[in-house]
Amino acid sequence: PFTPQDEWTAPGHEPLVLVGGEGAWLVDAGGRRYLDGNSSIWTNIHGHRHPRIDAALCAQLERVAHTSFLGFANPRASELARQLAGFFPPGTLERVFFSDDGSTAIEVAVKMAIQYRQQAGEQERTGFLAFDRAYHGDTMGASSLGGVPRFSERFRRFGFPVTHLTGMDDLRSLPEVVVETTAAVVIEPLIQGVNEMRPWPAGMLRELRGWCDRAGVHLILDEVMTGFGRTGRMFACQHEEVVPDYLCLAKGLTGGYLPLAATLTTASIYDAFLGGAERTFYYGHSYTGNQLGCAAALASLEVFEEEDVLGRLPARIESLRAVLADLRHPWVYDRRQCGLIAGLELREPSGDPFPADRRVGEEVCLAAREFGLLTRPIRDTIVLLPPLCVTPEELGQAGEALRQAIETLSLIH
Ligand SMILES: *Cc1c(COP(=O)(O)O)cnc(C)c1O
């Protein structure tokens, strides 16, 4: 995935083979250790081989790994749904629909939003709004909402039409006819991940909620990256006291152990699916409500409590801030941070972007490996998004690895 095949299959290419992990560290086939600087593509929360989650999975295996959720229930999924809904004020996000990945969590929200409007007598509301440079996943529906040209342009005419906006100003100047025919607007709250870790202006989410309420448009929040403590609160929307109409969760839901996703919604949306078999939501995946995945997710939520994970975050977020501030080099153009999510943008000392074909971001990450840090850039922005269990000392090591990588490369270039 996301890997040029010529390079992958080039005769000299030695893929990095990862065979183990412990806490914030990964181990390769040669026994070398790397700090997991992007939480294994933004999934891992409490570290690898966490005893509590490992034990929960072993215990679940003594019962059963997976049973169908199509018309059946299982205790793990029921309990997980109850706990997820419990994070939000009573009378808000009370209903949970399980699926497998971030992309499917988005597909669920989109299909539910369409069918809801049909069944609520608002057939004219068929449109979707999304933001430029947004990323919501790679399935056809999710990528229709996406706004990163190099991922979605090729497929644009095969997906469904979406109106893309740059920000709140665009939203406010939408023609009335567009507003009245819109089902929902989707956004990554507080920070756009794939858009090189770019935070939204403070207060924007609350403004968007207000606009949605006035316009009768539903708000879909994609918290696939920001959920589960990554921004300093359990969910990013809690920073601005916003509750969406649909909340999409995946990546960190199982602590980064297994693919599992959830789309939360309100009772009033749920109720539009009552009143006869023709109102059935014909949507589901074979592994919906997977018991192992739900067991891992429940154990991950327990770890949040037992280890006071959220209470310990502010100090770690400050350490990350200090590490970024210490990274002073003519190539460091910008430091962007939201909680334990950071992007370090590299440019020419003149402030101009590096030519794309120099692939500076990739080279820096490759060099950082030699100094014990594993991460993946987005173009020339180096992502630092460690597991929440990362210590200030480990953050310091990550910063040091990046400093050495940048210095080594800038001497060659
Ligand atoms: C990763 C991501 C997705 C897609 O999730 P997958 O599990 O990779 O399908 C969607 N939205 C955001 C914000 C993401 O970061």
Side-chain angles (χ1 to χ4, degrees), residues 41-42 100-104 106 135-138 188 193-194 222-225 250-251:
I41 202 69
W42 317 354
D100 311 332
D101 296 285
S103 309
T104 58
I106 295 286
Y135 179 79
H136 298 294
D138 291 329
E188 300 156 82
V194 174
D222 178 350
E223 291 230 28
V224 173
M225 175 183 76
K251 288 194 171 106

Side-chain angles (χ1 to χ4, degrees), residues 112-123:
M112 220 178 253
I114 293 170
Q115 191 171 337
Y116 167 79
R117 296 297 184 180
Q118 292 169 353
Q119 294 175 177
E122 299 168 328
Q123 289 82 349

Side-chain angles (χ1 to χ4, degrees), residues 172-400:
R172 281 186 281 258
S173 54
L174 279 176
E176 197 51 35
V177 56
V178 173
V179 176
E180 285 169 356
T181 54
T182 293
V185 53
V186 57
I187 188 170
E188 300 156 82
L190 298 205
I191 178 167
Q192 286 187 317
V194 174
N195 185 17
E196 302 171 6
M197 299 302 171
R198 240 170 262 280
W200 290 113
M204 185 245 201
L205 188 61
R206 189 168 322 173
E207 257 185 85
L208 179 61
R209 175 75 269 186
W211 181 89
C212 285
D213 289 341
R214 289 188 298 278
V217 168
H218 281 149
L219 177 61
I220 301 174
L221 290 190
D222 178 350
E223 291 230 28
V224 173
M225 175 183 76
T226 53
F228 302 100
R230 207 67 83 175
T231 66
R233 305 287 298 264
M234 196 60 166
F235 300 105
C237 59
Q238 294 170 326
H239 288 273
E240 299 197 9
E241 286 158 30
V242 161
V243 182
D245 302 286
Y246 300 90
L247 177 69
C248 301
L249 303 172
K251 288 194 171 106
L253 173 58
T254 59
Y257 269 59
L258 287 162
L260 181 74
T263 306
L264 277 65
T265 193
T266 61
S268 80
I269 289 172
Y270 174 85
D271 287 347
F273 292 80
L274 301 174
E278 70 279 8
R279 293 185 169 232
T280 302
F281 189 47
Y282 286 112
Y283 188 110
H285 295 282
S286 320
Y287 282 96
T288 292
N290 178 258
Q291 298 216 33
L292 274 178
C294 292
L298 286 167
S300 171
L301 295 180
E302 263 173 53
V303 175
F304 270 100
E305 287 293 316
E306 279 175 8
E307 299 182 6
D308 187 24
V309 171
L310 297 180
R312 289 154 78 175
L313 277 179
R316 290 167 190 191
I317 292 168
E318 277 321 301
S319 294
L320 177 59
R321 198 175 310 283
V323 162
L324 294 174
D326 269 357
L327 274 167
R328 282 181 296 260
H329 184 278
W331 280 11
V332 175
Y333 174 78
D334 195 14
R335 305 164 176 85
R336 294 185 282 270
Q337 186 185 356
C338 175
L340 269 187
I341 303 169
L344 186 77
E345 183 176 350
L346 305 178
R347 291 202 183 179
E348 305 262 22
S350 65
D352 292 334
F354 287 107
D357 61 4
R358 260 176 83 178
R359 298 163 70 172
V360 166
E362 278 175 54
E363 287 198 28
V364 166
C365 289
L366 213 53
R369 266 192 212 178
E370 300 302 315
F371 303 104
L373 172 70
L374 202 58
T375 189
R376 187 183 164 85
I378 303 167
R379 297 210 161 172
D380 293 339
T381 294
I382 312 298
V383 173
L384 263 189
L385 190 155
L388 306 189
C389 67
V390 72
T391 63
E393 192 194 355
E394 289 166 338
L395 285 169
Q397 287 172 274
E400 187 52 25

